[in-house]
Amino acid sequence: MARNKHPERTRARILDVAKRLFLTKGYDGTTMQDIVDSLGDLSKGAVYYHFKSKEAILDAIGEEDQSRHDPTAINDTGLTGLDKLREAFRRSAADNEHMRLMNMAYPAMHDPKLLAANLKVWRTQVADMFEAMIREGVADGSIDTAYPREAAELLALLTNYWLVPTFYPATADELHHRVEALAAVCTGLGVPILDKDLIETVSRGYTALI
Amino acid sequence: MARNKHPERTRARILDVAKRLFLTKGYDGTTMQDIVDSLGDLSKGAVYYHFKSKEAILDAIGEEDQSRHDPTAINDTGLTGLDKLREAFRRSAADNEHMRLMNMAYPAMHDPKLLAANLKVWRTQVADMFEAMIREGVADGSIDTAYPREAAELLALLTNYWLVPTFYPATADELHHRVEALAAVCTGLGVPILDKDLIETVSRGYTALI
């Protein structure tokens, strides 16, 4: 195999091509050979050199997608903590590609080990991230809550687990109603993130997962 | 081995003796031999005939404890749906033996398979049970909520998972604050189960799990 002078560029190309195939043919409908064929100029061995399996490619696509949706990256000057949180939810739910990628990863979570690992991330890193944004809102006066940590933990758990029809099966109407219930939960905690507009956007986003 | 004419009675005696040992010496500190010794008149083989392992004994104790705490069994005439729910929480949290048995079972849930199985029970059977009680309250006018199913799902998930320090580590003060947050969540959903008294009782109950 010729020495690869730009491994990062090759890696990025593989992820790009695989993501396009996953989104058009579905994850299950795409083989490693399809990915090799679509790349055109790389051997199967070269692709396997970068990713040991199709699952590893999906994982890497998921990580890239996650970092693109890191809400702490929302830095528009002038936004309050509450508005940043709302913007984070809006961007994530309105990004059709993001929701379809999430959808692709969710069936894997029927594997108890993966589910347990994700639950751990939701109750630690993701909760920490939400807490930082809520505390920003408390500091700038846009959020008035006695429960910054609790609200953060619940936001992380409920948006990643409870809203997801893979775990809690639901019709589109039931999902809409569930998002309205989450809005009431947030209001009860003094962190009224989900206004009327956002309820619609978030409902539509999760409905794509049915 | 002499034929056992009263297998249910023997089974109940084994569970009784084992529970007493688990509660005094701890689950890890108790061996099958300790259980045999305490019974006095049964061989090790006879005990193993009824339960194939110490885990199986703990499981059976847990099932018995669960059925004793089936909140649908609260049938005192005159109680509204809301009061039945409150009574269910009060009985469960104030029952020191019940909380200590729960505590014994929780470490096992670091096993992802067990955790996934429990999460499934919480989002199906336990949620169904809470929903029935909430709908009873809606029918008798003691509860006014637009979210009977959602409140039931959240009560099941949050009381079994989020309040539990095995999963979400907490000091006694943090647990108390978390129970207050759950009270705000319930109020936000129109199902104000946790009044001031119950916040204290439930906090004390979960603090025993630290």
Side-chain angles (χ1 to χ4, degrees):
Chain A
M1 198 192 312
R3 189 142 163 246
N4 185 340
K5 284 184 187 160
H6 305 289
E8 309 79 17
R9 227 181 284 171
T10 306
R11 204 184 123 92
R13 274 191 61 221
I14 297 171
L15 291 183
D16 227 53
V17 162
K19 182 161 79 178
R20 194 163 40 76
L21 286 169
F22 291 168
L23 289 171
T24 48
K25 298 165 63 119
Y27 175 73
D28 286 333
T30 303
T31 63
M32 281 296 256
Q33 189 60 55
D34 292 334
I35 297 170
V36 174
D37 292 346
S38 284
L39 283 157
D41 59 349
L42 283 178
S43 70
K44 204 162 185 168
V47 174
Y48 274 106
Y49 171 81
H50 289 277
F51 297 99
K52 69 176 202 294
S53 64
K54 199 173 73 164
E55 288 74 31
I57 295 182
L58 182 61
D59 279 352
I61 291 173
E63 273 172 36
E64 202 185 66
D65 177 62
Q66 262 333 107
S67 69
R68 206 163 49 85
H69 272 287
D70 178 1
T72 55
I74 297 173
N75 279 320
D76 314 52
T77 359
L79 281 191
T80 63
L82 181 61
D83 282 336
K84 277 188 195 175
L85 265 166
R86 286 182 170 154
E87 185 58 20
F89 274 86
R90 186 172 293 117
R91 284 189 193 178
S92 172
D95 181 342
N96 192 259
E97 184 180 300
H98 168 67
M99 296 309 282
R100 283 164 72 202
L101 287 173
M102 262 180 58
N103 201 18
M104 232 165 258
Y106 268 112
M109 286 206 216
H110 284 296
D111 171 354
K113 267 197 189 167
L114 263 179
L115 174 60
N118 275 277
L119 282 162
K120 192 175 178 185
V121 171
W122 300 332
R123 68 178 177 254
T124 53
Q125 284 115 285
V126 180
D128 291 348
M129 190 190 71
F130 280 132
E131 186 183 355
M133 297 176 84
I134 293 170
R135 289 199 184 275
E136 207 180 314
V138 170
D140 68 27
S142 61
I143 295 174
D144 180 14
T145 182
Y147 307 108
R149 180 65 194 176
E150 291 81 1
E153 286 176 353
L154 289 180
L155 270 180
L157 177 62
L158 302 186
T159 59
N160 285 294
Y161 180 64
W162 180 59
L163 284 191
V164 177
T166 311
F167 299 115
Y168 285 80
T171 63
D173 283 350
E174 284 164 351
L175 261 183
H176 190 272
H177 201 244
R178 202 182 285 166
V179 175
E180 287 178 327
L182 180 64
V185 166
C186 292
T187 302
L189 289 168
V191 188
I193 300 172
L194 295 169
D195 55 19
K196 226 176 151 209
D197 272 7
L198 207 42
I199 288 174
E200 298 310 317
T201 309
V202 170
S203 296
R204 269 197 305 276
Y206 282 93
T207 301
L209 306 186
I210 294 180
Chain B
M1 198 192 311
R3 194 147 159 242
N4 185 342
K5 284 184 187 159
H6 305 288
E8 309 79 17
R9 229 179 281 170
T10 306
R11 204 184 124 93
R13 275 190 61 219
I14 296 171
L15 292 182
D16 226 53
V17 162
K19 184 162 77 178
R20 193 163 41 76
L21 285 169
F22 290 169
L23 289 172
T24 48
K25 298 164 62 120
Y27 175 73
D28 285 334
T30 304
T31 64
M32 281 296 257
Q33 189 60 55
D34 292 333
I35 297 169
V36 173
D37 292 347
S38 285
L39 283 157
D41 59 349
L42 283 177
S43 70
K44 203 162 186 167
V47 174
Y48 274 106
Y49 171 80
H50 288 277
F51 297 99
K52 68 177 203 295
S53 64
K54 198 173 74 165
E55 288 75 29
I57 294 182
L58 183 60
D59 279 353
I61 291 173
E63 273 171 36
E64 203 185 64
D65 178 62
Q66 263 332 106
S67 68
R68 207 164 48 86
H69 272 287
D70 178 1
T72 55
I74 296 173
N75 278 320
D76 313 52
T77 0
L79 281 191
T80 63
L82 181 60
D83 281 336
K84 278 189 194 174
L85 265 165
R86 285 182 171 153
E87 186 58 19
F89 274 85
R90 185 173 295 118
R91 285 188 193 180
S92 172
D95 180 341
N96 192 259
E97 184 180 301
H98 168 67
M99 296 310 282
R100 284 164 72 203
L101 287 174
M102 263 179 57
N103 201 18
M104 234 165 255
Y106 268 112
M109 287 206 214
H110 284 296
D111 171 354
K113 268 196 188 165
L114 262 180
L115 174 59
N118 275 278
L119 283 161
K120 192 175 177 187
V121 170
W122 300 332
R123 69 180 176 253
T124 54
Q125 285 114 284
V126 180
D128 291 347
M129 191 190 69
F130 280 132
E131 186 184 356
M133 297 176 84
I134 293 171
R135 289 199 184 274
E136 207 180 314
V138 170
D140 69 26
S142 62
I143 294 175
D144 180 16
T145 180
Y147 307 108
R149 180 66 195 176
E150 291 80 1
E153 287 177 353
L154 290 179
L155 271 180
L157 177 62
L158 302 185
T159 58
N160 285 294
Y161 180 65
W162 180 59
L163 284 191
V164 176
T166 311
F167 301 115
Y168 286 80
T171 64
D173 284 349
E174 285 164 351
L175 261 184
H176 190 273
H177 201 244
R178 202 182 285 166
V179 175
E180 287 178 328
L182 180 63
V185 165
C186 291
T187 302
L189 289 168
V191 188
I193 300 173
L194 297 169
D195 55 18
K196 226 177 151 204
D197 271 5
L198 208 41
I199 288 173
E200 298 310 317
T201 309
V202 170
S203 296
R204 269 197 306 275
Y206 282 94
T207 301
L209 306 185
I210 294 179

